[in-house]
Amino acid sequence: MSAHTSPDAPEPARTAGLPPVIDVAELRDLQGGTAQTGKESTVRLLDVRWALDGSKGHHTYLTGHLPEAVYIDLPTALAAPAQVGRGRHPLPDPEDFAGALRSAGVDESTIVVAYDDADGSQASRLVWMLRSLDQPAALLDGGLDAWDGELATDDVRPEPGSVPARPWPETAIATIDEVASGSALVIDARAPERYRGEVEPMDPRAGHVPGAINLPFSQNTDEHGRFLPPQQLRESFAAAGVEPGGEVIVYCGSGVTATHDILALERAGYEGVRLFPGSWSQWSADDTREVATGPNP
């Protein structure tokens, strides 16, 4: 039991076997009280639709969302403001993050199921954050498109929750120096053309971290935005050189879509994978860091 768990609270669903990705049927089981824990817990749906260009956000949520889902804003609730030396989406201060969760009605024992309207690459950020803190959380496979019921258009404002602030665990995150050390297999989750340095729409320099391999997060899902089966993911990662028990660090542009790779790796049976939160936005802004280009690490 963690130091933050009261004796009467359910054990975190992560340690009880809640997978990182669940489908609609599993969501309904959770909502019906037949969770993998065998204990009743409140299930809170959180809508994490977001787009860099502002085309998705709270206004999209209001056009139709899963019943009782609460909207949570990625750039303000799931990230601190961009900072030189920390990247475009640094992890938020623990108290700020806890405050956002409380506003969304999350308690310490709440099982959070997050979704977006794409392939999970936005909502995965929240799920990874929560699971790294041992908060029960899962990504809804297929997101909004997978839902086969009616949608709601109300702006859900639940009673405030009571989840405590918890520091980001060192076991879940990697520093820029750890990425540079060469002690871990480093995975770049961005699109191949960004990895190769052919285009760079956001950050100061194009290319990738020297030695990093490219495993685009888009390869984790099928044409319908559903995650590939665990065995298929495992075979794909193994073919790329990801070894069970090996030290693995994942990055992307700013620490958002890299979490999609981390959830896919966990779904495939890999444990202890860490996120480099500053990602390419931090690395490329540091002129002392070398940059590699082309298709090879």
Side-chain angles (χ1 to χ4, degrees), residues 61-253:
Y61 161 85
L62 292 175
T63 65
H65 57 79
L66 270 61
E68 301 183 7
V70 179
Y71 182 75
I72 191 161
D73 186 56
L74 189 153
T76 59
L78 309 186
Q83 298 177 34
V84 175
R86 293 190 63 198
R88 286 187 280 114
H89 290 118
L91 290 175
D93 177 84
E95 183 56 52
D96 292 342
F97 181 50
L101 293 176
R102 293 183 203 120
S103 295
V106 177
D107 297 321
E108 193 170 6
S109 61
T110 301
I111 298 172
V112 173
V113 178
Y115 71 91
D116 53 42
D117 62 351
D119 49 16
S121 57
Q122 301 138 42
S124 61
R125 166 83 169 200
L126 173 59
V127 173
W128 173 83
M129 292 167 75
L130 292 171
R131 290 175 77 87
S132 74
L133 297 171
D134 278 326
Q135 178 81 28
L139 181 71
L140 181 61
D141 198 15
L144 191 71
D145 288 343
W147 183 249
D148 54 4
E150 296 292 324
L151 296 179
T153 57
D154 55 331
D155 194 358
V156 180
R157 305 281 181 168
E159 289 294 316
S162 59
V163 67
R166 291 161 288 189
W168 299 110
E170 294 182 0
T171 54
I173 57 178
T175 67
I176 192 169
D177 289 332
E178 288 174 316
V179 172
S181 70
S183 63
L185 174 67
V186 178
I187 295 173
D188 185 319
R190 297 174 301 160
E193 60 271 20
R194 288 187 72 187
Y195 172 84
R196 294 191 297 263
E198 296 167 2
V199 297
E200 183 43 67
M202 297 295 299
D203 298 314
R205 293 184 289 169
H208 60 266
V209 172
I213 65 171
N214 187 210
L215 293 177
F217 75 89
S218 59
Q219 296 181 358
N220 300 325
T221 54
D222 62 19
E223 64 273 17
H224 304 294
R226 309 289 178 92
F227 273 76
L228 299 175
Q231 180 62 31
Q232 189 172 345
L233 288 169
R234 188 157 50 247
E235 291 172 355
S236 177
F237 290 135
V242 186
E243 298 180 356
E247 187 177 358
V248 180
I249 298 170
V250 187
Y251 76 90
C252 57

Side-chain angles (χ1 to χ4, degrees), residues 33-40:
T34 57
Q36 290 90 334
T37 57
K39 303 176 182 179
E40 291 191 7

Side-chain angles (χ1 to χ4, degrees), residues 1 34 51 53 166 265 273:
M1 183 177 296
T34 57
D53 62 3
R166 291 161 288 189
L265 283 158
V273 179

